[in-house]
Amino acid sequence: MTASELMQPAELIQEVQDASTAYDSVWAGASIPTQDLSGLEQVMLAHDKLYVVLAVVLIIWIGIVILLLRNDARLASVERIMEEQGTSFDDGL
Amino acid sequence: MINLRRYTLIRNIVLVWLSLVLLAAFLLNIPKINILEHTARNLYFHVPMWFTMMAAVFVSAYHSFQVLRSGDIVRDIRALQAARVGAFFGVLGLVTGIVWSKFTWYVGTDVWWNFDPRQSMVSLQLLIYGAYFVLRGALDDPNKRARIAAVYNLFAATTTPFLLYVIPRQMDSLHPGAEGNPAFSEITHPIMRLVFYPAIVGFIGMFWVLYTQRVRTALIKHRVTHDPEL
């Protein structure tokens, strides 16, 4: 067996690996199909992509607001149960 | 059961702290990096989401372990609420990651989601925690529910480091820290660490505040209905 024959399996594996980026929508080696920037991208990429950071911060802020409102709803439901049970708030609250 | 003075103090510190982090995140100049440009600042927001989720998973698993040791229903309340708020931060991390990737990895294409290993694995992780909440809903007896849910939660917690860190790092991914892609420690300028580490502390503090709020509500519900599920 020659050295080149010994090399073959490794090369094969390498080739398979190169071709098996199944989760990639772009073929390896092909040029990336860049199209004209969409309207959304034109906005988001302005000022060196600063608005992307704004979007991320807003998502976190909106998320915290949603959790806050949900916590409030849970608290209200517990308060309703307490009222139905006639639990008194004599402790000064 | 909960030290209200300590809670109020920490809550106020966290709110001021995060406000300062937010200011520093936008006001401090950072080195220019091609493709990333200003989105490098997302390091202060997107990455701490995952640190916070990891911290929440630890808290949740710790209390689940205590449920199995003592059967204490209060531990079950804590485990559930830590997992809930943790999953919430996980969803925020995933969504902010999608937005970030759209305008860096996938710019000039219509792609929003391309099954990047890192994103796929954390989605799986969130589904595992989704199953934890569904499992709880299927059980009626609070004591039985506490024990069975604790066992499942410990399983969910042990999968987390693998799905978040170990497996994605061994696959081809566009995400930093993967195969053939430099990790945080090699590419991050010291000026960014000045904001990044406080941001992690701040968001973990935010987790603690939200989690404690929910634990307090659940404790009251437990007292009036003998069912702490929230």
Side-chain angles (χ1 to χ4, degrees):
Chain A
M1 203 176 270
T2 65
S4 64
E5 272 173 321
L6 277 171
M7 287 292 288
Q8 233 171 10
E11 279 170 7
L12 258 178
I13 289 167
Q14 189 59 45
E15 242 172 65
V16 168
Q17 275 181 343
D18 286 345
S20 70
T21 48
Y23 40 78
D24 203 330
S25 64
V26 180
W27 288 105
S31 61
I32 296 165
T34 307
Q35 52 196 9
D36 289 341
L37 294 182
S38 65
L40 178 65
E41 280 178 340
Q42 278 179 16
V43 173
M44 298 298 282
L45 300 185
H47 302 293
D48 296 334
K49 303 191 181 182
L50 188 58
Y51 291 131
V52 179
V53 189
L54 179 65
V56 163
V57 173
L58 277 181
I59 286 168
I60 293 171
W61 170 238
I62 291 167
I64 288 174
V65 167
I66 288 172
L67 191 62
L68 210 63
L69 294 177
R70 281 169 58 99
N71 286 356
D72 236 351
R74 296 287 151 79
L75 201 54
S77 77
V78 174
E79 281 172 340
R80 259 199 311 280
I81 294 169
M82 289 177 78
E83 260 171 47
E84 280 164 14
Q85 289 187 352
T87 316
S88 63
F89 293 94
D90 286 342
D91 47 355
L93 283 170
Chain B
M1 204 158 283
I2 285 165
N3 186 337
L4 266 188
R5 284 181 76 163
R6 193 185 65 182
Y7 165 79
T8 310
L9 179 69
I10 294 178
R11 180 199 65 193
N12 293 343
I13 291 172
V14 164
L15 292 179
V16 173
W17 183 282
L18 271 182
S19 305
L20 293 177
V21 165
L22 196 58
L23 275 179
F26 280 90
L27 294 181
L28 278 185
N29 277 325
I30 58 168
K32 284 217 159 81
I33 307 172
N34 195 21
I35 299 174
L36 278 181
E37 305 189 34
H38 274 311
T39 69
R41 295 176 194 273
N42 283 343
L43 173 75
Y44 311 141
F45 304 107
H46 166 76
V47 184
M49 295 297 115
W50 297 110
F51 277 78
T52 306
M53 183 184 168
M54 205 59 218
V57 164
F58 273 123
V59 172
S60 183
Y62 169 75
H63 287 296
S64 276
F65 180 69
Q66 294 295 332
V67 168
L68 293 181
R69 269 183 40 157
S70 65
D72 187 357
I73 209 83
V74 175
R75 296 291 190 176
D76 184 49
I77 292 174
R78 288 186 171 277
L80 169 63
Q81 299 310 335
R84 271 224 209 284
V85 182
F88 159 79
F89 274 98
V91 170
L92 285 185
L94 188 62
V95 176
T96 55
I98 289 171
V99 171
W100 193 359
S101 69
K102 168 63 189 148
F103 299 105
T104 48
W105 302 348
Y106 305 138
V107 73
T109 69
D110 286 331
V111 179
W112 283 84
W113 180 271
N114 199 24
F115 291 98
D116 190 90
R118 181 72 75 137
Q119 291 181 318
S120 307
M121 294 295 165
V122 298
S123 307
L124 180 59
Q125 181 60 40
L126 291 174
L127 287 178
I128 288 175
Y129 271 95
Y132 170 63
F133 305 132
V134 173
L135 171 71
R136 296 187 65 97
L139 298 163
D140 285 331
D141 176 31
N143 288 310
K144 203 174 179 183
R145 178 171 59 210
R147 286 187 173 278
I148 294 175
V151 173
Y152 179 83
N153 193 31
L154 284 176
F155 156 74
T158 47
T159 64
T160 307
F162 293 97
L163 289 171
L164 254 60
Y165 300 110
V166 179
I167 298 174
R169 284 189 177 207
Q170 294 175 345
M171 298 171 79
D172 285 327
S173 167
L174 291 168
H175 196 285
E179 195 70 43
N181 222 342
F184 168 81
S185 54
E186 296 149 43
I187 52 171
T188 306
H189 192 271
I191 193 83
M192 298 196 73
R193 292 164 197 244
L194 202 64
V195 186
F196 175 63
Y197 296 129
I200 292 173
V201 174
F203 279 109
I204 290 178
M206 192 74 206
F207 155 76
W208 188 84
V209 169
L210 293 167
Y211 152 76
T212 307
Q213 280 185 341
R214 291 184 70 97
V215 170
R216 284 165 64 193
T217 312
L219 283 174
I220 298 172
K221 180 155 188 277
H222 178 53
R223 210 180 290 170
V224 294
T225 66
H226 301 289
D227 182 3
E229 203 74 1
L230 206 62

